[in-house]
Every structure is written in structure tokens, then in C-alpha cells.
Amino acid sequence: MSDSIIIHLIDDDEEVRKALAFLLGTAGHAVCMYDSAANFLAKLEGLQAGVIITDVRMPGMDGLELQRRLIKKGVKFPVIVMTGHADVPLAVEAMKGGAVDFLEKPFADGVLLAAVDTATMGLRQSMGTGSDTIRIQERLKSLSERERQVLSGLLMGHPNKTIAYDLDLSPRTVEVHRANVMTKMGASSLSELVRMALQAGIS
């Protein structure tokens, strides 16, 4: 890991901050902790380039508002959003606003570290090259009409049961279509699938 890249960890829960900072530190990352989005923004000027890991739901300014403020300020640090199960629609909204990943709690240590590795790589390299976009668009063309409808529901942050109701299908059938979408797109997670679709211009 490059010592020029800092992990900016924002969470109002002190125990969560300490636990995640310890995990990231053992993986060789330098970590700065903030107990609120407002505190982070107050210290933003002059901060080293880094990856932002933020909770969605926090007192005062939430993760989405933080993201909007960063965009307004022209700050292009990669943002990883942490979310509870009920907050997945918010996380999808965050992805549409430019977040590079969202992690649904509880998540395994390896999931967080993999997301951070991807984000740090994206900070060093330009992501979403033309060839990547073309490849994703080709994969989208392989989806059936029903699979594209399921994908649309996922991008709206809907759970399988809601998608099943909207499309007049059984939840099991939606699960099958969802699995097919993941396979055809070459996506290993929902966040990766959302990122691919957004890169290809689907929202």
C-alpha cells in the first residue's frame, strides 16, 4: 500500500470506528477517524488523498449529504458506504451519486479490505475506460428482457419480493433471474453489478 493514501473513516459509533481502524491498520493502511461527517468536512482542506469509508445513517449530516457536499466542493476521493439491511435503497442512491461501493452490515473483514483495495486502485488509476464500458454494454445485450427488468428493480434498491410483486413473478423466479444477471454480467456482488450498470449509463 502506498503511504500517500489515507483511509478516512467516518462513523458516529466509537466502537465501530475502533474495530474498523484496527482491521485496516493490521492490513497496512493508514487510518484517520472522524466521529461525524461535519467533523470530516471541517478538516477537509489540506487532507491527503484518500479513500472515504462512511456510514449512511449518522446524526446530523448523513452519508448522502456528505457525498453531495464533497461533489459540490469538487472532491473526488473514492467513497465506500456502509449500510444496514434496510438502508440498501440509500446505498444504491449513494452509488448513483458516485460512491464506488457499498457494504451491507454485517460484512466480513475480507469484504471491507477488498473494497478498500479496489478503491485505492481506482485512486491511482483512471477507472471506467472506454474498453471497460464497451465490454459491460456487450454483457448487457446478453440479458433477456425479463433479466433486464429484474436488473432495473435491483438498481432501484428493491428487494426480491418487491421485484416479484411488480413483475407478477414468484420470489424464487426472481432469484433465478437475479443469479443469471450476476453470471452474465460477471458481477460478484450487488454493488459491483450496480457500478457496472451505472458505468454503462443505466440508472
Side-chain angles (χ1 to χ4, degrees):
M1 290 298 155
S2 169
D3 58 8
S4 65
I5 294 181
I6 303 293
I7 307 301
H8 300 289
L9 176 61
I10 309 168
D11 198 299
D12 61 294
D13 188 318
E14 183 178 4
E15 294 302 317
V16 170
R17 287 198 309 274
K18 288 181 177 179
L20 294 181
F22 177 78
L23 170 64
L24 292 163
T26 58
H29 297 286
V31 183
C32 287
M33 295 186 289
Y34 310 86
D35 59 8
S36 69
N39 186 23
F40 171 73
L41 286 177
K43 300 177 180 178
L44 182 60
E45 189 172 344
L47 286 181
Q48 283 181 267
V51 174
I52 298 170
I53 302 176
T54 182
D55 198 9
V56 167
R57 292 189 182 274
M58 294 182 288
M61 187 187 307
D62 64 19
L64 295 181
E65 178 60 24
L66 169 63
Q67 199 173 11
R68 286 190 285 267
R69 299 275 187 98
L70 292 173
I71 292 172
K72 190 173 181 179
K73 291 176 178 290
V75 176
K76 297 182 179 179
F77 295 174
V79 177
I80 296 171
V81 174
M82 298 182 293
T83 173
H85 176 73
D87 295 334
V88 169
L90 292 179
V92 171
E93 185 179 343
M95 292 283 285
K96 291 180 178 180
V100 298
D101 211 339
F102 69 85
L103 307 181
E104 187 176 343
K105 300 174 181 176
F107 47 79
D109 293 353
V111 171
L112 173 63
L113 296 177
V116 169
D117 285 345
T118 298
T120 53
M121 286 174 59
L123 201 57
R124 295 188 183 101
Q125 305 170 359
S126 60
M127 296 187 69
T129 62
S131 59
D132 286 340
T133 302
I134 291 172
R135 187 160 53 247
I136 291 170
Q137 289 173 338
E138 288 300 316
R139 292 175 184 175
L140 284 168
K141 290 178 183 178
S142 72
L143 300 182
S144 68
E145 181 179 355
R146 186 63 85 188
E147 288 165 353
R148 289 182 70 92
Q149 291 172 333
V150 170
L151 173 59
S152 178
L154 293 173
L155 293 178
M156 293 168 64
H158 292 167
N160 288 354
K161 287 184 179 179
T162 300
I163 296 172
Y165 178 82
D166 290 343
L167 298 179
D168 196 23
L169 300 172
S170 70
R172 175 58 186 158
T173 300
V174 171
E175 287 178 12
V176 171
H177 286 312
R178 176 172 174 164
N180 288 342
V181 170
M182 299 287 282
T183 298
K184 290 183 178 181
M185 293 301 297
S188 60
S189 66
L190 178 58
S191 60
E192 185 178 5
L193 180 64
V194 172
R195 185 166 53 247
M196 285 179 166
L198 295 176
Q199 185 174 324
I202 297 178
S203 59

